[in-house]
């Protein structure tokens, strides 16, 4: 029962994190670039930031918990001798890349967001969204017993 609940929460968190970034990247960002209007991104961020970060936190918590169930005590996880441990390790790599991009955007670009820095933020948004979609692809791969 716990396992099923964790998978449901993990999937729910994924809809928020990935869905929110797809809306940002596919609908808000092109409009902001077209009109050279950083405020459109500020407005979206003001509503989504807290909710999105809560979803990411839920992903990490439930993801690590699921991993603990698959590899109790994380034993045999480090051997990377199964598709499961390999996919989870890649997800951890995606997480590090996501945090790097998110921290750089949040503390170095968004506070001084102008028309001049809009392009830099656009690259970050596209990067984080691409990583988010890859999270889903790998997650589905785990459920499907491998992607190949
Ligand atoms: C934003 C980040 C993440 C997203 C969007 C995401 C998305 C997903 C999705 C859509 C699934 C498939 C669920 C299913 O149908 O079974 C999944 C499964 C899984 N994810 Fe994540 N994930 C994220 C982060 C993580 C992290 C950080 C870990 C842990 C290191 C993790 C570990 C797992 C595991 C172990 C499964 C397999 C669960 C199962 O047996 O189905 N995920 N993930």
């Amino acid at each position: 029962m716990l396992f099923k609940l964790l998978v449901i929460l993990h999937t729910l968190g994924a809809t928020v994190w990935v869905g929110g970034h797809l809306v940002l990247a596919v609908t808000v960002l092109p409009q902001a670039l077209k009109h050279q209007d950083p405020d459109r991104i500020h407005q979206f961020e003001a509503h989504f930031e807290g909710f999105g970060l809560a979803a990411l936190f839920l992903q990490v918590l439930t993801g690590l918990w699921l991993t603990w169930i698959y590899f109790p005590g994380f034993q045999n996880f480090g051997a990377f001798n199964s598709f499961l441990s390999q996919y989870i390790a890649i997800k951890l790599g995606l997480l590090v890349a996501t945090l790097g991009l998110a921290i750089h955007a949040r503390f170095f670009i968004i506070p001084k967001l102008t028309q001049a820095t809009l392009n830099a933020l656009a690259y970050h948004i596209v990067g984080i969204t691409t990583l988010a979609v890859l999270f889903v692809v790998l997650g589905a791969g785990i459920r499907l017993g491998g992607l190949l």
Side-chain angles (χ1 to χ4, degrees):
M1 192 61 209
L2 171 67
F3 183 84
K4 290 180 181 176
L5 183 65
L6 288 173
V7 171
I8 290 168
L9 288 175
H10 197 74
T11 310
L12 193 59
T15 63
V16 174
W17 180 255
V18 186
H21 280 93
L22 281 172
V23 170
L24 175 61
V26 176
T27 70
V28 181
L29 180 62
Q31 288 297 316
L33 287 171
K34 187 177 168 194
H35 300 281
Q36 285 296 297
D37 179 11
D39 274 350
R40 294 179 189 228
I41 301 198
H42 271 309
Q43 278 173 15
F44 182 90
E45 288 289 341
H47 290 101
F48 182 67
E49 191 179 41
F51 193 40
L53 283 179
L56 182 61
F57 180 73
L58 182 68
Q59 292 312 99
V60 176
L61 187 73
T62 52
L64 289 175
W65 203 335
L66 286 164
T67 306
W68 183 272
I69 292 173
Y70 278 123
F71 300 94
F74 293 127
Q75 273 179 8
N76 299 325
F77 176 69
F80 303 124
N81 52 5
S82 65
F83 87 91
L84 187 55
S85 56
Q86 288 164 2
Y87 280 31
I88 295 173
I90 296 172
K91 288 189 96 165
L92 288 171
L94 295 177
L95 180 64
V96 171
T98 298
L99 291 177
L101 278 176
I103 288 169
H104 189 252
R106 175 66 187 80
F107 293 105
F108 296 97
I109 301 181
I110 291 175
K112 42 187 178 194
L113 188 58
T114 60
Q115 290 183 356
T117 52
L118 195 53
N119 274 351
L121 185 64
Y123 285 117
H124 282 69
I125 290 172
V126 170
I128 290 180
T129 306
T130 305
L131 291 169
V133 171
L134 287 175
F135 268 120
V136 172
V137 173
L138 281 161
I142 293 174
R143 176 100 326 229
L144 295 169
L147 287 168
L148 301 175

